[in-house]
Amino acid sequence: MTHTPPVVCAFCARGPCCARALGSGKLAGLREGLTMAAAETGALPVEERVGQVVLPGDVLLLPSHPEADGERLWLGPGAALPGRLVCGPGLRSCGAGLLVTKCGLLRHRQPGGAGGGSGGAYWVDSQQKRYVPVKGDHVIGIVTLKAGDIFKVDVGGSEQASLSYLAFEGATKRNRPNVQVGDLIYGQFVVANKDMEPEMVCIDSSGRANGMGVIGHEGLLFKVSLGLIRKLLAPNCEIIQELGQLYPFEIVFGMNGRIWVKAKTIQQTLIVANILEACEHMTAEQRTQAFAKLSER
Amino acid sequence: MKETPLSNCERRFLLRAIEERKRLDGRQSYDYRNVRISFGADYGCCIVELGRTRVLGQVSCELVSPKLNRATEGILFFNLELSPMAAPAFEPGRQPELLVKLNRLLERCLRNSKCIDTESLCVVAGVKVWQIRVDLHLLNHDGNIIDAASIAAIVALCHFRRPDVSVQGEEVTLYTPEERDPVPLSIHHMPICVSFAFFQQGTYLLVDPSEREERVMDGLLVIAMNKHREICTIQSSGGIMLLKDQVLRCSKITGVKVAEITELIQKALENDRKVRKEGGKFGFAESIPNQKISAFKMERAPVDTNDVEEQAEEIIMKADPPSDFVAKPILRMPGTAQIGEGLENSWGDFEESEREEEEEGNSDDATTSGGQKMETEEINIVSKTKKDDDTIILSDSEEEEVVILEPEETHKKTRTHTTTKQENSSKKAFNKKRKKKRATH
């Protein structure tokens, strides 16, 4: 009996839902046949593709060494236990390897500590503007509704997140936080899956605010793409360091693509905002030129 | 989707910035954003970009019979559509009142100003006239839709060529583009709308507001003018009180802006005409620039498609043929029938539920069994459901008449065909449900 990989729809990545919609026999049979053929002929080992552009439908073969605990692929965010491989965003498990579902660059990270050959995380670095709530992400939200015990916060996803008034530092039933409709909130998600409305809080697990909560009243909020946010939040990002040498300013990054900036004057705030928006399409040399021009003034 | 709300912080910042005469993108109060006009391969197709606001315009024509009370005039039809790709707030079904407002304004600007000579569109009086249809699609909304739309409409009309017609006595000959070159429409003048946004009860004025500025503005004044400084349409919305000298100042600014934009349009049309005459490349593929994000480039890998057809045919032949599954309608009760079970349930992990299903074969809830099978190896499960025919389940179903269809012989050999397999299994489950219900009555 031949084993065929379960046909996974590359569009919604939820199983063969669209494969069903393909309807009558020949086309679906062809699709499965091609998947098999691709798995046999066109797939490359995943180590070779790290750092290259991958397209949806590409199959990446994983190195096959048997694991003691059986289950090799672990889907989910968070750090991989040693010996376990984390299949990150943009990838799906299929048979002997990983099926790419988003186009972008393939990245790999070795697990810290016990490292070695096995384990680590693979993911696809793709460009996107629309945000999908993910548990643990810190985001900037706009309060749209005050309803009894909860606030409804718009985070840019398909549903508004709910935020309880007790989820602030030092908030009790008598001591309510001072939050109005239209305020900016910096918080993180505690519940964020595709079947329920997301929930966010403004305290961390130990009960401290840690920078979260209502963001100040001045300053400017603007939107950029998600890829730029991740680039800016990478450790030792040069853009932020160079900007910091220009003027002092406060900045908050939300993983949903929103950035809040506040500098001493309106002009400086606008300059910082425009530079960050333009950084996406500028190369490093253009950026240094732009900074040089600004620091002359 | 709901529109992203405007936070208090942004509103305050924008108003303060406007008081200091600063705009978000660094323009002056009377500056327009960059206008880019690009033409498509067909006559009458153009894309106008005003900053990041993009409008696509397309003109088409048709021979129709004229309106009864205007037997010697052609018909003009304008249509602006707000595509959902322009902004998340635009939904395909419900169109906001903004759309009605924009359409009305466009019609007044272009039709009532008689910029197009409708008499020249008449072919045979009372019998056949040209109907010119201008379709505008908003591709991206970054403020000031009306300006971009009016520029797109007039540019598309100037660019358009209609088929040539000749009338000799009773005979009317319509020439195809191959026989005779199509002729342009006769356009008297080019009306262009200019928008002014007012803030703080008319104290501050901005030309060409962007989307953020539109959200915080108090009122909007739109003046449509042509390059001969004739006002075609003027409209003030938002309920602000404007003084006479404010309106006069705006009209002066409009005159200057319209002259600049008209010059730009003429240059763009001239360029396109030259390129087409010289036989160069024209169309969107040439004029719309590529936008690159990643700095990586992969060499083009040549794909050998010579034997793809044979390969595909081989694969098709090797794959098992689909069963002749004819979806029979299941008669629930007189007057109600059902074909198929619908899409499968996507709640929960399918592997888990499959294991559950194997464990509890005698579940009361027969609906779970039908929905979640997505695996290809379903032989075990299929055989299991057959065994459960003799359990009696009490249910609240009030269906009296039950039609039991002959359970189909499912192919027990391995077939990799999930679709029909699933339908089969769901049909089997359905039959199981039917049999159970029958047992109770």
Side-chain angles (χ1 to χ4, degrees), chain B residues 200-407:
Chain B
Q200 312 281 35
Q201 269 74 43
T203 325
Y204 303 101
L205 158 68
L206 289 182
V207 175
D208 186 18
S210 67
E211 205 245 335
R212 296 275 114 177
E213 290 161 359
E214 273 187 355
R215 293 250 204 137
V216 298
M217 71 182 173
D218 287 337
L220 184 73
L221 174 69
V222 179
I223 302 183
M225 205 190 259
N226 61 21
K227 73 172 185 204
H228 309 294
R229 303 182 62 87
E230 297 167 336
I231 291 185
C232 308
T233 296
I234 187 164
Q235 169 169 308
S236 158
S237 53
I240 42 160
M241 305 298 176
L242 288 175
L243 301 172
K244 188 173 65 170
D245 57 340
Q246 275 175 323
V247 180
L248 283 175
R249 191 156 40 107
C250 289
S251 61
K252 287 204 188 78
I253 299 171
T254 310
V256 172
K257 294 295 166 194
V258 167
E260 288 171 10
I261 295 177
T262 310
E263 207 183 292
L264 184 74
I265 293 178
Q266 302 284 24
K267 245 194 291 188
L269 284 166
E270 189 55 47
N271 279 344
D272 183 72
R273 204 172 336 181
K274 235 192 319 188
V275 167
R276 280 178 202 255
K277 203 158 68 162
E278 288 165 11
K281 287 195 209 160
F282 51 87
F284 288 134
E286 294 304 315
S287 39
I288 294 187
N290 288 331
Q291 291 180 333
K292 296 194 180 83
I293 294 174
S294 169
F296 286 84
K297 203 163 132 176
M298 228 164 108
E299 292 306 317
R300 281 188 203 184
V303 175
D304 185 18
T305 53
N306 290 334
D307 52 351
V308 155
E309 228 182 270
E310 286 105 17
Q311 237 185 353
E313 289 206 15
E314 252 182 65
I315 294 171
I316 292 174
M317 278 194 303
K318 278 195 207 145
D320 290 318
S323 71
D324 299 321
F325 178 75
V326 177
K328 292 195 188 141
I330 300 163
L331 192 65
R332 278 192 185 272
M333 58 177 90
T336 312
Q338 178 184 327
I339 304 181
E341 278 260 313
L343 284 180
E344 77 275 4
N345 193 336
S346 61
W347 281 89
D349 192 20
F350 56 90
E351 286 177 86
E352 269 179 90
S353 64
E354 185 203 305
R355 263 179 259 132
E356 268 174 17
E357 170 58 25
E358 285 182 34
E359 287 162 30
E360 32 177 306
N362 298 332
S363 87
D364 286 349
D365 197 2
T367 49
T368 57
S369 62
Q372 289 166 355
K373 302 205 189 19
M374 308 217 278
E375 293 295 307
T376 52
E377 285 91 359
E378 294 167 59
I379 305 167
N380 321 338
I381 300 167
V382 167
S383 60
K384 243 199 168 252
T385 54
K386 264 193 172 158
K387 284 185 217 156
D388 294 327
D389 284 350
D390 26 61
T391 20
I392 296 178
I393 305 293
L394 296 169
S395 78
D396 295 331
S397 166
E398 294 179 349
E399 290 156 3
E400 294 295 334
E401 264 190 51
V402 165
V403 174
I404 301 296
L405 303 171
E406 284 303 319

Side-chain angles (χ1 to χ4, degrees), chain B residues 111-122:
Chain B
R111 192 198 304 228
N112 296 5
S113 66
K114 308 244 189 300
C115 63
I116 300 191
D117 183 12
T118 45
E119 302 264 350
S120 69
L121 296 175
C122 176

Side-chain angles (χ1 to χ4, degrees), chain A:
Chain A
M1 175 173 108
T2 56
H3 170 75
T4 51
V7 177
V8 176
C9 167
F11 298 108
C12 53
R14 275 195 317 174
C17 62
C18 293
R20 279 184 76 216
L22 284 177
S24 68
K26 279 202 171 175
L27 192 54
L30 171 66
R31 186 193 160 98
E32 279 157 356
L34 283 178
T35 314
M36 268 200 299
E40 287 157 2
T41 58
L44 287 177
V46 66
E47 287 91 7
E48 287 182 29
R49 302 295 302 271
V50 171
Q52 290 188 352
V53 174
V54 288
L55 298 174
D58 287 353
V59 181
L60 306 167
L61 296 174
L62 288 170
S64 52
H65 35 246
E67 294 291 332
D69 46 23
E71 190 186 309
R72 287 197 58 244
L73 276 178
W74 187 44
L75 292 123
L81 302 176
R84 280 204 176 176
L85 199 64
V86 173
C87 175
L91 294 170
R92 284 250 136 194
S93 70
C94 88
L98 301 170
L99 184 73
V100 179
T101 54
K102 278 195 176 167
C103 51
L105 299 170
L106 184 66
R107 304 269 193 222
H108 173 58
R109 188 194 63 203
Q110 291 289 346
S118 68
Y122 288 100
W123 73 94
V124 177
D125 210 354
S126 61
Q127 187 60 276
Q128 197 171 310
K129 286 189 186 170
R130 179 69 59 140
Y131 177 66
V132 174
V134 170
K135 180 172 163 176
D137 263 2
H138 292 257
V139 294
I140 297 181
I142 304 173
V143 179
T144 53
L145 199 62
K146 252 164 93 161
D149 286 345
I150 57 165
F151 304 112
K152 281 281 188 215
V153 179
D154 170 273
V155 292
S158 56
E159 291 238 21
Q160 300 197 333
S162 69
L163 167 66
S164 161
Y165 75 93
L166 289 172
F168 289 84
E169 181 172 9
T172 60
K173 288 215 169 91
R174 304 255 178 94
N175 181 18
R176 289 175 176 243
N178 182 15
V179 173
Q180 307 303 325
V181 173
D183 279 353
L184 291 179
I185 300 268
Y186 182 62
Q188 65 176 347
F189 285 116
V190 289
V191 171
N193 57 37
K194 60 180 165 70
D195 300 315
M196 298 164 53
E197 77 167 358
E199 289 176 26
M200 58 188 285
V201 293
C202 288
I203 47 174
D204 59 11
S205 46
S206 58
R208 272 191 291 220
N210 207 11
M212 298 190 268
V214 180
I215 298 181
H217 295 278
E218 309 291 329
L220 172 65
L221 178 78
F222 58 98
K223 196 166 185 325
V224 294
S225 74
L226 307 185
L228 179 65
I229 296 273
R230 288 197 296 263
K231 193 159 83 168
L232 291 169
L233 280 176
N236 306 326
C237 177
E238 307 159 333
I239 307 174
I240 301 297
Q241 288 167 351
E242 287 174 22
L243 263 182
Q245 284 159 7
L246 275 182
Y247 325 108
F249 58 87
E250 280 180 66
I251 193 163
V252 177
F253 294 106
M255 294 294 289
N256 52 348
R258 294 183 183 164
I259 303 183
W260 177 85
V261 187
K262 177 176 159 187
K264 280 216 201 94
T265 66
I266 293 205
Q267 177 73 358
Q268 289 178 357
T269 313
L270 285 174
I271 289 176
V272 173
N274 279 320
I275 285 197
L276 286 174
E277 276 177 341
C279 265
E280 183 153 14
H281 298 285
M282 284 204 289
T283 62
E285 297 95 35
Q286 289 169 331
R287 213 173 51 225
T288 38
Q289 279 175 5
F291 279 122
K293 253 196 298 186
L294 282 171
S295 50
E296 280 165 26
R297 275 201 234 152

Side-chain angles (χ1 to χ4, degrees), chain B residues 171-214:
Chain B
E171 226 181 81
V172 176
T173 331
L174 176 66
Y175 298 103
T176 62
E178 289 84 36
E179 293 172 11
R180 271 209 207 169
D181 278 342
V183 296
L185 301 172
S186 95
I187 297 180
H188 294 310
H189 60 94
M190 298 206 280
I192 295 181
C193 296
V194 176
S195 309
F196 297 88
F198 286 95
F199 303 87
Q200 312 281 35
Q201 269 74 43
T203 325
Y204 303 101
L205 158 68
L206 289 182
V207 175
D208 186 18
S210 67
E211 205 245 335
R212 296 275 114 177
E213 290 161 359
E214 273 187 355

